[in-house]
Amino acid sequence: MDMQVSLLDRLFDSGLLIETGVDGLYGRSGQFEDVIAAFERMIDRFGGADGAEAIRFPPGMAMSYFEKSGYMKSFPQLAGTVHSFCGNDHDHMGLLSCMEEGKDWTKEQKATNIALTPAACYPLYPTVAKRGPIAMTGGLYDLQSYCFRHEPSREPTRQQMFRMREYVCMGTEHHVTEFRQKWMDRGVQMMEELGLKVEIDIANDPFFGRAGRLLANNQRDQNLKFELLIPVNSNANPTACMSFNYHQDAFGTKWGLNLEDGSVAHTACVGFGLERIALALFAHHGLDVKVWPDAVRTALWG
Ligand code: 5GP
Ligand code: ZN
């Protein structure tokens, strides 16, 4: 724990991360952003030739899609929704006096039809479904979004608002599982170029509650989720910096994603945790990028 606090403190002291008064919600310096930008170019170098369709969604998604995704069933503890003041003049007076008296003014805030995006790929499935059948050669998408997860922490690698770059593949089972394997191999190769020690391990999502334990066990038993782990806060508990997820036909069925032959599409996504990868680089090679090993600097900046 001390080690974790000290990495966060060192990041604050160096100005790479900037305190906002909330654990897990940080500003980033130009230098921090430059590392992320360079790493994203590296992702393009490895994946660009695949010809994925690039789409950028904002960090909020339609509440109707969020509801249908089932996120509240599986991860209610992590979800964030946008609420706003929707009253009249009279309500406004009430709001101001409530704030003045230091009372809880947020109770009167009403839900808007926007939820905070929990993973970059969530808005994609309904978007692609609306377009009609997917070609038999499959669909490949390149996404990046800020994501929100309500899990305040002093561990710098656990942030409440962070960026996820994702590739999502839709097609036959064979097609999407090959895609996932290809990115597991590429992920290891990329981190090797960056001088980072990695291991890939089976994983599960943090499903909520007692019923969630069954879902998590099922996910593990079926090898549906793998993570690429890099020691950042500690060697004993390395941090998931990438995840490789096979959804079988679950999202295809939920969203009505069909291939041209009428079969339900299988889907898989691979996600890069951009802040976590930047933090892994700073933790391993030091807070001053000028003294990072030449090979690492070349991999990032050419
Ligand atoms: P997943 O959807 O597998 O939970 O997350 C995909 C990737 O996003 C993870 O492998 C990780 O790199 C990143 N990620 C997940 N949670 C957090 C978090 O709390 N903070 C940060 N900075 N990155 C996260
Ligand atoms: Zn995803």
Side-chain angles (χ1 to χ4, degrees):
M1 186 65 197
D2 283 334
M3 229 180 110
Q4 292 157 7
V5 172
S6 79
L7 176 60
L8 185 61
D9 284 338
R10 288 195 299 129
L11 290 159
F12 287 154
D13 288 345
S14 64
L16 286 163
L17 291 186
I18 298 149
E19 273 193 278
T20 66
V22 178
D23 287 342
L25 188 73
Y26 307 124
R28 296 88 158 94
S29 73
Q31 181 63 81
F32 193 93
E33 289 302 291
D34 189 42
V35 169
I36 289 194
F39 182 72
E40 287 213 77
R41 286 194 299 273
M42 190 175 174
I43 298 175
D44 295 337
R45 172 153 65 81
F46 276 77
D50 297 347
E53 176 186 345
I55 305 181
R56 296 291 179 264
F57 291 105
M61 64 183 285
M63 187 65 87
S64 56
Y65 290 162
F66 178 76
E67 285 165 359
K68 186 167 170 184
S69 76
Y71 199 80
M72 292 307 287
K73 237 183 245 170
S74 299
F75 314 107
Q77 78 282 20
L78 302 179
T81 48
V82 177
H83 284 61
S84 284
F85 170 76
C86 300
N88 56 22
D89 272 342
H90 179 259
D91 301 321
H92 186 212
M93 301 282 279
L95 167 75
L96 294 182
S97 58
C98 188
M99 290 183 88
E100 208 154 295
E101 290 161 26
K103 290 190 189 148
D104 183 4
W105 58 276
T106 61
K107 282 201 187 113
E108 296 301 324
Q109 295 283 99
K110 298 280 184 286
T112 65
N113 53 16
I114 297 177
L116 298 177
T117 304
C121 63
Y122 268 60
L124 179 71
Y125 306 103
T127 303
V128 174
K130 267 202 293 200
R131 294 177 176 177
I134 299 164
M136 293 310 292
T137 47
L140 185 63
Y141 310 90
D142 162 351
L143 309 171
Q144 198 254 51
S145 175
Y146 257 100
C147 298
F148 174 83
R149 294 185 186 175
H150 183 233
E151 41 186 359
S153 165
R154 293 281 294 173
E155 238 179 67
T157 50
R158 187 164 299 289
Q159 301 189 11
Q160 299 200 64
M161 287 187 164
F162 58 93
R163 271 158 296 178
M164 211 186 277
R165 175 81 180 265
E166 280 199 52
Y167 282 103
V168 181
C169 184
M170 304 182 185
T172 60
E173 172 173 4
H174 177 73
H175 185 154
V176 308
T177 50
E178 291 255 292
F179 155 86
R180 184 172 74 152
Q181 185 58 50
K182 184 171 64 189
W183 274 106
M184 280 200 242
D185 298 340
R186 284 176 176 172
V188 170
Q189 219 183 318
M190 290 172 79
M191 301 311 162
E192 267 170 15
E193 276 194 26
L194 294 177
L196 298 171
K197 196 179 106 195
V198 303
E199 80 193 64
I200 287 201
D201 203 359
I202 200 150
N204 62 267
D205 288 310
F207 293 101
F208 184 75
R210 205 180 310 154
R213 231 172 293 150
L214 287 173
L215 294 170
N217 288 339
N218 181 48
Q219 197 182 23
R220 293 182 91 89
D221 290 346
Q222 297 195 66
N223 291 350
L224 297 182
K225 187 178 188 81
F226 289 93
E227 286 176 336
L228 180 149
L229 306 165
I230 305 177
V232 182
N233 304 305
S234 82
N235 286 319
N237 291 308
T239 300
C241 292
M242 285 186 75
S243 76
F244 311 89
N245 307 285
Y246 173 38
H247 318 121
Q248 300 170 302
D249 62 359
F251 288 179
T253 303
K254 180 187 293 292
W255 295 108
L257 292 161
N258 297 310
L259 300 181
E260 272 172 342
D261 68 357
S263 62
V264 176
H266 285 235
T267 62
C269 67
V270 300
F272 294 86
L274 296 177
E275 282 76 10
R276 284 189 177 178
I277 289 162
L279 289 167
L281 286 162
F282 284 115
H284 277 261
H285 302 312
L287 301 190
D288 181 0
V289 301
K290 289 196 292 298
V291 301
W292 285 4
D294 283 343
V296 174
R297 290 181 55 83
T298 304
L300 287 169
W301 288 286

